Amino acid sequence: MRDIAYLLGQRPQDVYALTLDVNDEDLVSITQLKTGRKIQIENEGELTKVLARTRSRVSRPGVRILIVNEHGEAFTPGMFKKRFNKARKAAAVQFPLRDLSAKHATDTDASALAQKRLAHASRAITEHYVRQRLGGKVKPLNRKITGS
C-alpha cells in the first residue's frame, strides 16, 4: 500500500479504493474521492512490479479490492495505519501516511508532471505542497553588524 500510494502520488483513501478491474495492463485509472477528478497513470517500471506483487496476494474468491493483507482480505484504513505506525516507529521516522503524496510531488523533477499526477487544479497548489515539505526559501540578512 505504501509503495503504491507513493508511486501513484494519491491520497490513502484513493489507493484503498483501487479494485482489480480498475487496473488494466497499460493504465491505472483513478477517480479521486475528494475531488472527483479522474486520472490515468501509465503502468510501467517500479509501479508494474509493485502492482504485480500486490495482485499475487489476492487469493480469496470474490475479493475485488487490490490492497489486501496476507490472508487475502481487504485492507481497511485502520489495519494499514496500525502497520504503518509500527514500521515508522521501527525505522525511527516521523511522517504521517498522508505525506506520501507530498513526498511524491517533492521527488518529481517537474512540477507540471507532479501537478498532473496529483490532479491538482493549478500548479500553485502543487508548488505550495512542495514548499510546505521542503520549507520556505529565504535570503539571509544582508548587513554588517554595527555597534559594539
Side-chain angles (χ1 to χ4, degrees), residues 32-52:
Q32 294 183 333
L33 297 172
K34 179 179 176 183
T35 64
R37 289 194 178 96
K38 295 180 180 185
I39 183 171
Q40 293 185 328
I41 299 175
E42 294 178 13
N43 184 3
E44 61 180 40
E46 189 63 25
L47 179 60
T48 300
K49 293 175 193 173
V50 171
L51 287 175

Side-chain angles (χ1 to χ4, degrees), residues 81-131:
K81 185 176 182 179
K82 182 178 177 182
R83 291 179 186 206
F84 183 79
N85 287 338
K86 184 178 177 181
R88 188 174 65 174
K89 187 175 182 179
V93 294
Q94 293 295 322
F95 67 90
L97 179 59
R98 68 178 183 275
D99 280 356
L100 286 176
S101 57
K103 178 162 178 43
H104 173 95
T106 304
D107 291 351
T108 300
D109 294 331
S111 62
L113 182 56
Q115 177 191 347
K116 286 181 182 179
R117 283 189 194 138
L118 276 60
H120 286 160
S122 72
R123 192 168 306 167
I125 293 169
T126 305
E127 289 172 356
H128 171 75
Y129 228 66
V130 171
R131 273 195 306 275

Side-chain angles (χ1 to χ4, degrees), residues 25-92:
E25 293 299 317
D26 300 322
L27 296 170
V28 176
S29 300
I30 299 168
T31 301
Q32 294 183 333
L33 297 172
K34 179 179 176 183
T35 64
R37 289 194 178 96
K38 295 180 180 185
I39 183 171
Q40 293 185 328
I41 299 175
E42 294 178 13
N43 184 3
E44 61 180 40
E46 189 63 25
L47 179 60
T48 300
K49 293 175 193 173
V50 171
L51 287 175
R53 188 174 68 234
T54 303
R55 281 187 181 121
S56 71
R57 291 178 31 201
V58 179
S59 59
R60 296 184 73 188
V63 175
R64 300 181 55 74
I65 299 296
L66 179 65
I67 309 299
V68 296
N69 65 15
E70 59 277 3
H71 305 291
E73 301 164 335
F75 242 108
T76 64
M79 290 165 69
F80 185 77
K81 185 176 182 179
K82 182 178 177 182
R83 291 179 186 206
F84 183 79
N85 287 338
K86 184 178 177 181
R88 188 174 65 174
K89 187 175 182 179

